[in-house]
Amino acid sequence: NRFSSRWKSRGKHIFTRSSTQRCSVGECFVCNTGCFDRNRFSNSDLPHILEKVIKKFPKGYCVKNPIDFVIKLIKTVPRTVFLVYNRHMKRNFETVNRIVIKIGTSSLVMPNGKINLEKIDQLAFVISSLMNKGKDVILVSSGAMGFGLNVLNMDKRPTEIARQQAVSSVGQVAMMSLYSQIFSHYQTEVSQLLITRDVIEYPESLENFTNAFEMLLTMGIVPIVNENDAISVDEMDHTTKFGDNDRLSAIVAKVTKADLLIMLSDIDGLYDKNPNIYDDAKLREHVTEITDEIIKSAGGAGSKFGTGGMLSKIKSAQMIFDNNSQMILMNGTNPRDILKVLEGANIGTWFSQVN
């Protein structure tokens, strides 16, 4: 409020002058051309920019000399404008060719324990459509335990390890059978790849694993990946190994050199706080780094059928960043939204580092 309309007008000129004009004080590290193009910001952005700028001025700072103010303001601009610019970065996935899609148990199995056939059909349609466009698509699918509980008419996960293994092995067969049946409606062939952590850790098995992926994709077949729960008992008790399929999907994205990981969940994206508890929780549309604040705001597992929570998704995003790739975390209620996302729609949370 210390800024009059006159000073706001001067500040607006600084932010919106043509990008072809050089700034006499220093270049902006986002566009590297000095000042910003007027098309990058709207009038509604100005108060937000000035609010951040004001916080950087000493308390009680008084503008006596307009030139001094302008110089000080420009020196404060780079980080401030960068923060605002991030909120309006347009998503562009035109160069994305290889995509890993991860779907969780909570998206495949309804709260009553029944299989969500409509959602699986939509997922098969989307993946088949992308394959027909020449994209490479890999599906990382949880659900063995959920399908097993459904087939065996059990209402909750057993606590005994051996029984968990048995239920998962039954569920894996049922899940793949359904996938194969529904994908065939769209003339798309699928394959099953069950892996354990040692496959990734040993170079020879990792090479065989990678070769299998490459050949399947070359043949136009969709690899459907899951952890081999029948022998990978660590996931059952939430201890070591892959831990859950959130991490597995990030590993698959790394091994296959995927351009994009799309993680379907039962939540709209990453919020600044738990939306199930706080009504004022805000969706983070774009995340460029995993901060301590983001890690602290992540909660635990949210479904009795699944093992992954928001924290595991955050860790997966960090793995994606480490591999210089990008990730979308979005609600899996309508898998057809994947097509909208790839067209640039602002859906879910986009994890992408800014060069």
Side-chain angles (χ1 to χ4, degrees):
N1 294 332
R2 283 177 283 168
F3 289 85
S4 66
S5 59
R6 176 187 176 190
W7 297 119
K8 286 185 179 181
S9 176
R10 288 178 178 268
K12 182 178 179 182
H13 175 72
I14 293 170
F15 288 106
T16 60
R17 68 158 63 169
S18 171
S19 61
T20 60
Q21 294 179 290
R22 287 284 180 174
C23 172
S24 60
V25 177
E27 291 186 358
C28 166
F29 67 81
V30 176
C31 64
N32 293 323
T33 58
C35 295
F36 278 82
D37 190 326
R38 66 175 66 250
N39 293 327
R40 291 189 184 275
F41 298 104
S42 63
N43 292 334
S44 61
D45 288 318
L46 184 59
H48 182 78
I49 296 173
L50 289 176
E51 179 184 358
K52 288 185 173 293
V53 172
I54 290 172
K55 291 180 180 179
K56 294 182 179 291
F57 279 80
K59 187 175 182 180
Y61 180 82
C62 179
V63 178
K64 295 181 179 179
N65 186 337
I67 301 300
D68 175 62
F69 166 73
V70 170
I71 292 176
K72 192 172 185 64
L73 185 60
I74 292 177
K75 286 181 177 180
T76 314
V77 164
R79 177 62 179 170
T80 306
V81 175
F82 175 68
L83 293 173
V84 180
Y85 175 70
N86 278 345
R87 298 190 304 128
H88 298 280
M89 285 187 68
K90 184 177 180 180
R91 304 178 183 183
N92 188 339
F93 300 116
E94 291 181 359
T95 60
V96 169
N97 182 62
R98 180 164 294 184
I99 305 168
V100 174
I101 298 176
K102 185 268 177 180
I103 188 164
T105 305
S106 59
S107 297
L108 297 174
V109 181
M110 295 184 287
N112 61 5
K114 300 297 182 181
I115 307 303
N116 196 326
L117 299 175
E118 180 182 2
K119 191 171 296 185
I120 296 176
D121 182 75
Q122 291 182 19
L123 181 64
F125 168 80
V126 168
I127 293 177
S128 299
S129 297
L130 292 174
M131 295 287 285
N132 289 341
K133 294 177 182 179
K135 306 292 185 182
D136 293 338
V137 184
I138 300 167
L139 176 61
V140 177
S141 176
S142 303
M145 176 63 70
F147 272 75
L149 294 174
N150 174 262
V151 171
L152 300 174
N153 294 317
M154 301 172 65
D155 59 353
K156 63 180 180 179
R157 295 167 64 98
T159 57
E160 184 182 354
I161 294 293
R163 191 173 294 274
Q164 290 181 15
Q165 291 173 292
V167 172
S168 293
S169 64
V170 171
Q172 184 66 33
V173 174
M175 183 174 69
M176 284 305 304
S177 176
L178 185 59
Y179 271 135
S180 180
Q181 178 181 349
I182 293 180
F183 270 91
S184 66
H185 294 164
Y186 301 103
Q187 299 180 334
T188 302
E189 298 294 332
V190 299
S191 67
Q192 173 182 260
L193 287 174
L194 299 178
I195 64 174
T196 54
R197 190 173 66 178
D198 59 313
V199 172
I200 303 298
E201 292 181 344
Y202 290 95
E204 184 175 353
S205 60
L206 176 59
E207 182 180 0
N208 294 332
F209 177 64
T210 305
N211 291 340
F213 267 117
E214 294 297 334
M215 183 54 65
L216 287 168
L217 293 172
T218 300
M219 297 172 64
I221 299 173
V222 178
I224 299 181
V225 187
N226 196 6
E227 188 158 10
N228 194 342
D229 292 339
I231 60 176
S232 302
V233 298
D234 290 338
E235 185 192 26
M236 302 296 181
D237 284 343
H238 309 259
T239 54
T240 59
K241 227 181 40 43
F242 285 127
D244 55 65
N245 277 5
D246 292 335
R247 184 184 179 199
L248 175 59
S249 64
I251 292 175
V252 169
K254 176 182 178 180
V255 170
T256 60
K257 297 180 173 58
D259 303 308
L260 175 67
L261 168 61
I262 299 178
M263 195 173 291
L264 302 179
S265 182
D266 54 0
I267 193 169
D268 292 337
L270 176 64
Y271 286 82
D272 58 351
K273 59 184 74 173
N274 192 335
N276 295 322
I277 301 176
Y278 302 98
D279 294 334
D280 60 342
K282 296 181 179 179
L283 180 68
R284 301 177 190 265
E285 296 180 355
H286 188 197
V287 174
T288 59
E289 62 178 339
I290 306 301
T291 62
D292 292 338
E293 176 191 358
I294 290 178
I295 295 176
K296 290 179 181 179
S297 66
S303 169
K304 66 178 180 179
F305 299 108
T307 60
M310 187 54 66
L311 183 58
S312 69
K313 293 171 175 57
I314 296 301
K315 292 180 178 179
S316 298
Q318 184 60 64
M319 294 176 63
I320 292 297
F321 280 168
D322 293 341
N323 196 40
N324 296 320
S325 188
Q326 52 188 334
M327 177 180 118
I328 293 287
L329 174 61
M330 58 181 288
N331 199 311
T333 300
N334 185 6
R336 289 175 181 258
D337 284 343
I338 293 175
L339 299 177
K340 297 179 182 179
V341 167
L342 294 176
E343 292 175 353
N346 196 26
I347 298 175
T349 300
W350 178 31
F351 294 84
S352 174
Q353 293 174 306
V354 178
N355 294 326

